[in-house]
Each structure stands twice: as C-alpha cells, then as structure tokens.
Amino acid sequence: MLRTALRNVLAHKARLMMTALAVLLGVAFVAGTLIFSDTVGEAVKKASEKNLDGVAVSVQALPPENGTDTGKDGKRTTLLDEKLADKVRALPGVESVRRDVTGTATLAGPDGIPIGNGWQNLAANFQPDKGGDDARYPLLRGRGPAADDEIALDQATARTARLKVGDAVRFATDGPVLTKRLVGIVSTDNPRVTTGGSLALFDTATAQKLYLHPGQYDELVVGAAPGADQQALTAKVREILPKDRAQATSGSELAAEQSRMVTAQNKALSQTLLVFAGIALFVGIFIIANTFTMLISQRSREIALLRAVGASRRQVVRSVLAEAALLGLVSSVVGFALGAGIAVGLRAVLDANGAGFPDGPVIISPAAVLSSLAVGVVVTVLAAWLPSRKAAKIAPVEALNTVEAPPAMRSLVIRNSLGALVTGAGVAVMLYVTTLKSSDDLPIAMLGSMLTMTGVIILAPLLSRPLVSLAGLVTTRLFGIGGKLAKQNALRNPRRTAATGSALMIGLTLITGMTVVGNSAQQAMDKMTANGLKADYKIGTSTFTGLDAALSKKVADLPGVEAVAPLRNASFWTGDTYTNLTGTDLATVGRTVQLDFTSGSPAHAADEIAVSRTAAKEKGWHTGGTLDARFDDKKTAKLKITGVYEDNPLVNSALGATSLVDPHMTQVKNDELLVKTRNGASEELEKQIRHTLGDSPLLKVQDHADLRKENAGQIDTVLYVVYGLLGMAIVIAVVGVVNTLAMSVFERTREIGMLRAIGLARAGIKQMVRLESVVISLFGAVLGTGVGVFLSWAGGNLVSQGLPTYELLLPWGRLGLFLLLALVVGVLAALWPARRAARLNMLEAIGAQ
C-alpha cells in the first residue's frame, strides 16, 4: 500500500501541484515568522551583550519617589556623585568606574523633520581616555566633544541628517532649539540607538548642565579587575550605597533582563505573524481536502479493485494518508526554504522603514525546522483524513462497473442542521456583543466571530445554491449557453463549490471586517476633531515634554490670533478613585474647545471644576456637589462641581483653572496649546507660531487637516499591514480555485469532448470555464463581504467606548473594489484550466474513461 501511495503521488504530479503550492505557502509563512523572530531576537541579544561588555556592576538611582527628584527647572537630582564614585572605585576588585549622564535629544533633519523615534533618541556624555577615545563610543571620524558648543553623533544619525564634521547641528532636549558644532562621528552597539533611535554625545559638564546638576550622574558603571567575582563585587557595592536611594545590579543580571525584554518585544510581533500564518494554513485545508476528495472520486474504480483483491479499509485509509504525508513533507521542505527567504526579506523591508534591527546572521534553529515541517505534514494529513475515510467506504463491487457513473451525492441534511446550530450560536454571541461596551470583552467577540464563520462554512453548500443561481441568471442573460453551463457546473457539486468559495470567503471576511471597522473609526476620529476642536491649531511636542508656559502669551500676541487656551494635566484621588484633571484658561477654553454642558456651567474659580458625563455617571458626581481631592503631591483640596459636559477627547474627566493645577506640578509646562485665529489656519501664521516657540524639532503644530491626516495615517497603516498579511491567504484561495477548475476539467473530459462534438467552439469552452471560475469566486466574495460586514457591525460596539462618536459607516468604494477583485481573481484563475479544456482533442476526450 505504501508503494501504491508513492505511485499515486508520482502519477498525479500535475493535479497535486496546486495543493502542494497551498501547503508550501502556508509553511513558508510559518517558517519565515519563526526564522525572523529567532534572527532578530539573537541579533538584538548579541548587541545587548556587546553593549554590556565589561560591565560588572551597574549602580543607578531609584525611581523619582525614592532616589531621583525633578526640580522646577526640569533637571533631575540624583545621589550618584563624585564622592560615591570614589567610594566605589576604592573597593577591592574594582578596576574602573564609568560615570554616565543620560537624557534625550531630538535632532532636526535637513527638511526640519525630527530624526529618530522619541524616547530612543539617546543623549550621553563622552568620556575620553588618555588617547582621547571612548571605548563605549569608538570614534570613526573627528574627535570627542570637549567644550560647551561641541557635539558628536553616531554614524547612522549623521548620515540621515546629512551632516559632516564641522557642520552645525540643530537639536532640542525639552525646550527651545539648541545649536552645536559637530566635532566627531562615532559607532555604537546600543540597541536603543540601532533599533531606530539616535545618539548625541556631549562632554560631561555640558551633559550635566542639560540634564542634571554639576557633579551628578545617572549611572556608575563598574568594571571588575581580572579574577574578581562579579556577584561578590555587586554585594560589596550594595553595602556602601545609600539605603533605598540607589541600587546595584550585576552585569549578568542586566544581560538576563535585556534578554527577557527582547523576548517580550519580539513575542507580540511573532504571535501576530503566526496568527496570520494559521489563517493561511486554515485556508489551505479546504484546498487539500477538495483535491483529495476529487482524486478519490476519480480513482474510485481503482480503489474498489484494491478492495476486491484484499486490501482492507484500514489499508486504504493508510494509503491515502501516506500519500498526503508525503505530499506535505515535500511541500514543507520547499516551503521552509522559501520561508528563510521571506524572513530575510521581511527584515530588510522593516529596516528600510526605520526598524533598524542590529546586524547578525540568519538563525535557523532546530525548533523552527521541526515545527515548520510538522505543521505542513500534520495539516495535510488532517485535511486528507475525511477523504481517506470516504475512500475506505468504496465497495469492491464498484470495480465491476463498466460505465463511469458520477458518485451519488450524499444528503446535506445533517451538515445543514449542524451548520444552522453553529451559525445560530455565533450570531447569538455576536448579538450579545452588541450590548457590551468594554474592549476587555474582545475575547467574547472573537469567539462569536469564529463560531459565525465556522457555521457559515458548514452551511456554504446550502448557501451556494441561491447565490450561484442568482449569479447564473446574470451569466446566462449576458453570455447565453456558456453562462448557463457555467452555472450548472458550479451547482453540480455544491460541496466542492462551497469548499472552494469558503477559502476565498475567510480572507475576505477578515479584510472586510477590518476595513469597515477601520473606516468607521477613522470617520469617528475626524468627527471628534471637527466637532470637539474649535481651535485652528493644536500645538504639542513629539516627546510629550511640554511647552514653556511663558510662551503661550507670546503666541496670543501674534497678529491674527484670537484666543489661546493652554492645557496642563494633573490628577487627583477621591477615596480610591483616580481622576485625570485638565487645567486651562477658563476665559478662553470655550472658544477653542466644544464643551456641551448637560447641566450646570463651566468652572469660574480655582476651587471649582466641571466633570465629563462619563466620569459623573461612574463616580456618582452631580452639579452642585463637592468632593475631597488628594493630589499626587499629597496636598488636598475641597472642590465644587459646577457642571457636567459631554465627553471630549481634548480634555480629561475633569476641567478646572490653571491656578488649581499649577501648585501641584513639579514644573509648570503646557502639555498642549489650542490656538484660535481670526481667518483660519495659514502657512504664514504657522511659521510665526513655530518661530515664536523656538523652531524646536520637538514641535507639532497641527491644523484640522494635519490631525485628520495623522488619524487616517495610523488607521491606514494598520489596514495595509493586515491586507499584506492576509494577502497570503487570498493567494492560497486563488490557488484553490485554479486547482478545483483544473481537476474539474479533468473529470469532465468526456463531457467537454461531447460539447465540442455538438458544435461548441473552443472559445465557448474557454468562456464556460472562465464563467464558472467567476461564479465561484463571486460566491466566496459575496459570502465573505456579508459575514465581514455583520461581524464588524456587531463587534464595532466595543470600539465606541474609546470613540464616543463611533458609528458604522460602510466604505462602499472599497467593498466594491473587493468584489471587483474577486471578479479579476475568477478570470485569472481560469486562464490555465480554460486553455487546457479548449485544447482537448475532441475524439480522445469522448473516448476517455
């Protein structure tokens, strides 16, 4: 029977090719994900280890509530000073103590756009040895910074900014733009920089001036003498540190922690990619099952003959499964090789878009190899299991048939009943989801979606009859006999049509659902921007470091500016309840923010607040009530509630005067400025605002169009990523259509010969096959679009919690594009099968068995 299985694989190479392609693509997705994750993880891990090379102990100040204080000047105060560094250096086993100052600095690119990614834009102090070099930041060109007006950059940042030694460098830390002269270019292995950040280096005195105070450091990096025990040295360092004000961590512990962080960072991406790989393989199951069902149907006499000469049912099952396993193994091997190429390509694409992964070799682990091969073989064998049982049921007497008779169609009653139950359960769950509001209920929505999709897949043969018949009316009217034959061929085997259409349905359901939710969310955000923001400009910083409060008056004095409302954030506790408070200019906020009061009025004094409708409902607050507030600085105040307003994303759950918020802020800064102008936004006014605020690369000056573009860009980016990842499932579904048509043409060889004999031209044969492909593709597309719209309607309610203006809006243009895509898929998928059918020899086809 094993020889029989091998012979069947070799005998039907062309028929199994498309099935092998489906398995191959699915396995390639899985293998690519695993190899990419291992490669990037190992590269980042190695870079982290290299960055920690020579670090025996790291001494750092504890978080703000213990060891680090931020003063009103915005600078941190730590207990790590020269005196402590000398005490550490005097310990036995200590060879060196590096004194680090760190912060963030964002550089302006040649076009004014900030370079790097926010918090990853590292700034540090250059610490030269006697030769003028720094072992942590090796010089490539020039020299290290040694004066207040000098700066050094890493090579990638200098290249991006198009800077060379001697050029002026514009940058900002947390205030106005600063300018220093570039004196050196260095290299670095710090993962924070190599994965999308930038590096700016200053001399120690300048770094302390920018971020700390003279003589203070963020970290003391201890190097051990040869032969010193790292753990013992760490214990000695801990003994001399101020209790509860600083901590010492061994180099090995830091490396382990960085390794855990790398694993956690890669885990989310890997899991996401594996989910889409699973979808692709799930789609492939339909193709594999379809193929083996058709092959078994074509080999029914051969299988019956095997049964007649003594093969048992179990042997027949094993033969089919062995055939599937062999196909899965070969496809998985090729798929794994393709997956390695995908991993390399994915890394290159992400790097080109700013991911900045460290360099490193491609890592192919035994786990990735075994997992990929196992997945391919198991999926193929599982998909072939039901067809193998069908093969085992073929009676030996069928070997005596002299006429090829089409197999008797089994009743769909049991399948339809099961499908109705599963679909009903899924719809019931999704209707329940429409009553939920929290995003925490997403698992329930996912369960309901899975049940609904599974139920529709089971019911697909039943649903195919009315939908295909409806499509057949159109094809018959437009194309005559060719369209009618296409409809009848699609209806001839509803199970096959359903399985082929379902593969396409799964991908389009997910794409449609994501598109509808994304479009509705985008429209909701646009509505919030239009309805909630009366101001013409919203001004903030890309690093959320805030704006100098004194500058708001200068903006207000600009010609053409009517009103400026500063927004400053604080928070307070009432009992165990935490509330975010926005402080603003109560005289101007109404001209820049749409505040619709359901009761009461805005606050007028420093001891008054207005609250949002959601906060009032959740916490039992009402107009005229009072509350005892405890702020984060431990100070308390009794506040009177003057009114309740409709939720607005621009302000927090409570709104009060700046005089209420300012005493509780360490450093008084505006988180955002809202600017209302007389004649609307203009390019000239925007330039004046930027100049008034110091032309800092941190600045974000956005009008309504910019805010809409930013919101749309975020959502479109997510959608395009989903489209790309689900594209593999769509490609596999197309392969399924090609496979089904090709094997269907083989089954109908005699029938096609008869059609040619009675006068149907080659063009008519091609048209018939093409229209059959289009009908099947449109069936899957309509089913997928319908299910996707239903799921997005039911699940979209969960989005409304974060977007009060959310409502379902169908993007008719994109939905129409998806149906047009299905039409194109049908035409393209039929090219080879239609050509093959039209080229059949008439007499040979009539005589075919």
Side-chain angles (χ1 to χ4, degrees), residues 121-456:
N121 295 332
L122 176 66
N125 58 321
F126 186 86
Q127 301 176 56
D129 54 22
K130 293 180 180 179
D133 206 351
D134 186 333
R136 176 167 288 187
Y137 307 113
L139 281 165
L140 299 176
R141 288 185 293 281
R143 59 175 176 83
D148 181 70
D149 63 341
E150 295 178 347
I151 188 174
L153 301 176
D154 68 286
Q155 187 174 27
T157 301
R159 186 185 302 118
T160 302
R162 301 175 195 167
L163 294 170
K164 60 183 183 298
V165 173
D167 288 346
V169 180
R170 295 177 66 250
F171 69 97
T173 55
D174 63 351
V177 66
L178 302 172
T179 302
K180 295 186 185 297
R181 184 167 58 90
L182 182 62
V183 296
I185 295 175
V186 304
S187 64
T188 179
D189 295 308
N190 192 322
R192 176 171 161 181
V193 179
T194 57
T195 56
S198 64
L199 173 66
L201 295 174
F202 311 98
D203 67 283
T204 299
T206 302
Q208 288 173 332
K209 180 181 176 181
L210 288 171
Y211 304 108
L212 293 172
H213 293 92
Q216 296 180 353
Y217 306 100
D218 287 298
E219 181 182 15
L220 301 178
V221 179
V222 181
D229 181 81
Q230 192 177 96
Q231 298 303 323
L233 185 57
T234 304
K236 290 177 183 178
V237 172
R238 284 173 180 161
E239 290 176 0
I240 66 171
L241 294 181
K243 189 176 181 181
D244 299 327
R245 304 286 282 177
Q247 63 182 2
T249 309
S250 68
S252 58
E253 290 172 334
L254 284 176
E257 178 60 27
Q258 287 201 4
S259 179
R260 284 193 293 270
M261 290 175 61
V262 169
T263 302
Q265 290 169 357
N266 287 334
K267 186 176 181 181
L269 177 60
S270 298
Q271 287 178 339
T272 302
L273 292 174
L274 285 174
V275 166
F276 287 98
I279 293 171
L281 284 169
F282 183 61
V283 170
I285 286 176
F286 290 91
I287 300 171
I288 299 164
N290 232 5
T291 300
F292 276 93
T293 299
M294 296 170 75
L295 284 175
I296 287 164
S297 175
Q298 295 167 13
R299 286 163 28 201
S300 57
R301 184 182 296 177
E302 174 189 326
I303 294 171
L305 186 59
L306 287 172
R307 295 277 286 114
V309 298
S312 66
R313 289 189 173 188
R314 184 171 297 177
Q315 285 179 309
V316 172
V317 170
R318 285 203 298 259
S319 174
V320 176
L321 294 182
E323 186 178 341
L326 184 60
L327 175 69
L329 181 61
V330 174
S331 303
S332 299
V333 170
V334 180
F336 184 83
L338 178 61
I342 289 175
V344 174
L346 179 60
R347 181 177 175 181
V349 169
L350 293 176
D351 273 339
N353 285 276
F357 295 119
D359 293 332
V362 176
I363 304 298
I364 300 179
S365 65
V369 176
L370 294 176
S371 298
S372 301
L373 297 182
V375 164
V377 173
V378 169
V379 165
T380 310
V381 170
L382 285 177
W385 182 69
L386 285 177
S388 72
R389 288 177 57 84
K390 180 181 177 182
K393 293 178 181 179
I394 296 176
V397 72
E398 291 190 30
L400 302 177
N401 288 341
T402 57
V403 178
E404 285 283 351
M409 297 302 297
R410 290 178 294 156
S411 172
L412 291 171
V413 173
I414 296 177
R415 176 169 179 159
N416 291 341
S417 301
L418 177 61
L421 287 173
V422 176
T423 305
V427 170
V429 172
M430 293 309 295
L431 291 177
Y432 170 66
V433 168
T434 62
T435 67
L436 304 175
K437 296 290 185 182
S438 173
S439 57
D440 295 336
D441 297 313
L442 183 60
I444 300 175
M446 293 176 66
L447 173 63
S449 300
M450 289 176 61
L451 286 173
T452 304
M453 288 179 62
T454 303
V456 171

Side-chain angles (χ1 to χ4, degrees), residues 341 401 443 485 509 531 558 573 612 655 680 724 752 806:
N401 288 341
L485 288 172
T509 295
N531 298 342
L558 288 173
W573 293 82
S612 69
L655 183 65
I752 292 171
Y806 180 89

Side-chain angles (χ1 to χ4, degrees), residues 804-825:
T805 55
Y806 180 89
E807 61 181 35
L808 185 74
L809 294 172
L810 297 181
W812 294 108
R814 291 196 184 186
L815 296 183
L817 183 63
F818 295 157
L819 293 177
L820 180 63
L821 178 64
L823 184 66
V824 173
V825 164

Side-chain angles (χ1 to χ4, degrees), residues 11-70:
H12 303 108
K13 293 188 293 292
R15 300 184 217 173
L16 291 172
M17 187 181 300
M18 292 297 176
T19 306
L21 184 58
V23 180
L24 183 154
L25 292 174
V27 171
F29 210 151
V30 173
T33 300
L34 295 175
I35 295 173
F36 170 79
S37 179
D38 290 342
T39 299
V40 171
E42 187 65 19
V44 176
K45 182 180 177 181
K46 291 293 185 185
S48 300
E49 291 174 352
K50 189 173 182 180
N51 190 55
L52 291 172
D53 188 30
V55 179
V57 185
S58 170
V59 180
Q60 295 177 320
L62 287 172
E65 62 270 17
N66 293 318
T68 306
D69 298 316
T70 301

Side-chain angles (χ1 to χ4, degrees), residues 96 134 198 225 456 468 507 509 516 607 695:
S96 62
D134 186 333
S198 64
V456 171
V468 171
T509 295
V516 172
D607 61 348
D695 280 326

Side-chain angles (χ1 to χ4, degrees), residues 452-453 456-457 460 463 467 498 501-516 730 776-792 815 818-819 822:
T452 304
M453 288 179 62
V456 171
I457 289 170
L463 298 173
L467 292 177
S502 294
L504 191 59
M505 182 209 82
I506 295 168
L508 279 176
T509 295
L510 298 172
I511 287 176
T512 299
M514 291 294 296
T515 300
V516 172
I730 299 296
I776 293 174
S777 298
L778 285 177
F779 163 66
V782 169
L783 211 56
T785 302
V787 175
V789 169
F790 168 73
L791 295 180
S792 60
L815 296 183
F818 295 157
L819 293 177

